Amino acid sequence: MEMASNIGEAGEGGHEKKKQVKLVQELLEVAVTEVPREFLVPAKERPQNNADHLIKKTQPGFLPLIDLAGLLHPLSQAHTLHQIALACEEWGFFQAINHGIPRSIIEGARLATRQFFELPMEKKLPYYVDNKNFDGFLGYGHTDFFQGVATDWMDSLFGFLAPEPLKRIDLWPSQPQKLRGMVESYGLELQRLFTRLLVAISKSLGKVDDHLEKEFRHYNLFFRANYYPPCPQPELVLGTHGHKDHGCLTVLLQDKDEDGLQVFKNGQWFSIDPTPDALVINIGDQLQTLTNGKYKSALHRGVVSNDQTIITLVAHLDPPHP
């Protein structure tokens, strides 16, 4: 079964959208009981076919958990930098606590994006884009960023939060009322965090503090709020198919309750439980290249639930557009 909706109304900026929309949330409105063909993952890639190679539940702290407050104190800085180096070499991933972003801003951004996804469909469709009509500033929908064989069971709200010419907070949805302000505040905090991470990773490599900051100074901060609704057949789909991030660094805010993130290491998929107040940091392809392969860009994916909605916030430090 395939769903498609026509839209022909103007968005807030006066741009008329006339596209065939195929959104996961639309499928839920008609209570599908079988997954449409385009979402079906090839059998060898389905989560249940990896059962012998998947740790379905891991203990908190299984993925390296690093207290970034250790970077602020001379007596603990060397140990923290060593932890970062090991995590980047062995996993390409780590969870960070005491990262400096206030809980109020994180929870505000989480709530505002959730409220957007919970709006009636007619309130969201004016922002719909696909791979062909994305204007480079903002979009909502299902764009298959990772170009998988099957369509991911995910809808997203996405746009740039830096640099200023690409930011265009004025184009973001005006509903819910706090969305623009909370996303902008979260973006400013993310920029500060990325700078701290680049300095720490530079030091962990034995380089001067601003080595990586200079290298990635002109990169873009791209933000995605990902919405993974319940799926009637979660064993047949992926929320995000296996991929490596192509940029420098990624910061992920996991869902509070569901462990949708899986990381591939040593021939196994590891399911990563959310850690309270932690952010997940991972290395991208460009940073792997810059470190001559010392720090790893790891394969990862997202799985979905049959009865729970998963919402994640993802920020990428990506190369500028040509």
Side-chain angles (χ1 to χ4, degrees), residues 40-50 235-236:
L40 296 178
V41 175
K44 64 180 181 179
E45 298 178 20
R46 292 174 184 172
Q48 85 282 7
N49 284 352
N50 291 290
E235 72 279 2
L236 302 182

Side-chain angles (χ1 to χ4, degrees), residues 147-198:
Q147 298 298 312
V149 175
T151 299
D152 292 334
W153 191 266
M154 170 187 71
D155 295 333
S156 296
L157 176 67
F158 49 89
F160 290 97
L161 298 183
E164 286 297 328
L166 294 178
K167 189 173 175 181
R168 297 305 303 273
I169 289 294
D170 60 301
L171 296 179
W172 284 70
S174 60
Q175 295 184 49
Q177 186 175 3
K178 292 185 178 181
L179 177 66
R180 291 178 179 177
M182 292 310 308
V183 168
E184 183 170 29
S185 295
Y186 188 50
L188 293 173
E189 294 292 341
L190 284 167
Q191 290 181 67
R192 298 184 187 103
L193 176 58
F194 274 121
T195 297
R196 291 195 295 271
L197 290 170
L198 290 174

Side-chain angles (χ1 to χ4, degrees), residues 74-318:
L75 294 179
S76 58
Q77 186 179 97
H79 174 66
T80 305
L81 292 174
H82 180 65
Q83 288 182 305
I84 291 173
L86 284 180
C88 293
E89 289 175 13
E90 295 178 3
W91 279 91
F93 271 80
F94 62 90
Q95 290 177 315
I97 57 173
N98 291 319
H99 41 69
I101 301 183
R103 183 184 296 174
S104 60
I105 290 181
I106 286 178
E107 293 306 320
R110 196 199 301 266
L111 176 61
T113 50
R114 175 180 288 275
Q115 289 174 337
F116 171 80
F117 288 118
E118 291 175 348
L119 289 173
M121 189 61 69
E122 63 268 18
K123 299 288 188 181
K124 294 176 292 195
L125 287 182
Y127 301 97
Y128 173 79
V129 300
D130 60 20
N131 284 331
K132 296 178 181 179
N133 71 340
F134 178 46
D135 63 9
F137 294 110
L138 172 80
Y140 160 67
H142 192 99
T143 58
D144 286 334
F145 282 104
F146 306 113
Q147 298 298 312
V149 175
T151 299
D152 292 334
W153 191 266
M154 170 187 71
D155 295 333
S156 296
L157 176 67
F158 49 89
F160 290 97
L161 298 183
E164 286 297 328
L166 294 178
K167 189 173 175 181
R168 297 305 303 273
I169 289 294
D170 60 301
L171 296 179
W172 284 70
S174 60
Q175 295 184 49
Q177 186 175 3
K178 292 185 178 181
L179 177 66
R180 291 178 179 177
M182 292 310 308
V183 168
E184 183 170 29
S185 295
Y186 188 50
L188 293 173
E189 294 292 341
L190 284 167
Q191 290 181 67
R192 298 184 187 103
L193 176 58
F194 274 121
T195 297
R196 291 195 295 271
L197 290 170
L198 290 174
V199 168
I201 292 172
S202 293
K203 287 182 175 181
S204 76
L205 290 164
K207 305 291 186 180
V208 295
D209 293 9
D210 63 353
H211 172 68
L212 290 178
E213 187 183 359
K214 285 182 177 179
E215 185 71 29
F216 297 110
R217 180 173 296 163
H218 300 295
Y219 271 39
N220 299 328
L221 176 53
F222 188 73
F223 172 82
R224 289 201 333 271
N226 294 331
Y227 183 89
Y228 306 91
C231 177
Q233 297 171 297
E235 72 279 2
L236 302 182
V237 307
L238 286 170
T240 307
H241 79 266
H243 68 283
K244 297 180 180 182
D245 294 341
H246 77 281
C248 171
L249 282 174
T250 298
V251 173
L252 165 69
L253 176 64
Q254 292 178 275
D255 190 272
K256 279 186 173 182
D257 303 312
E258 292 293 319
D259 56 344
L261 172 65
Q262 295 182 349
V263 179
F264 195 72
K265 181 177 185 286
N266 297 333
Q268 293 183 315
W269 285 105
F270 294 89
S271 185
I272 307 302
D273 282 342
T275 295
D277 298 319
L279 294 170
V280 177
I281 315 298
N282 69 276
I283 302 298
D285 292 343
Q286 299 220 346
L287 188 51
Q288 174 178 293
T289 299
L290 196 63
T291 64
N292 294 317
K294 181 179 177 67
Y295 288 177
K296 302 295 189 291
S297 176
L299 187 69
H300 54 287
R301 68 185 185 184
V303 297
V304 300
S305 168
N306 66 343
D307 60 359
Q308 297 292 323
T309 294
I310 298 173
I311 296 178
T312 64
L313 306 185
V314 189
H316 301 279
L317 191 61
D318 283 342

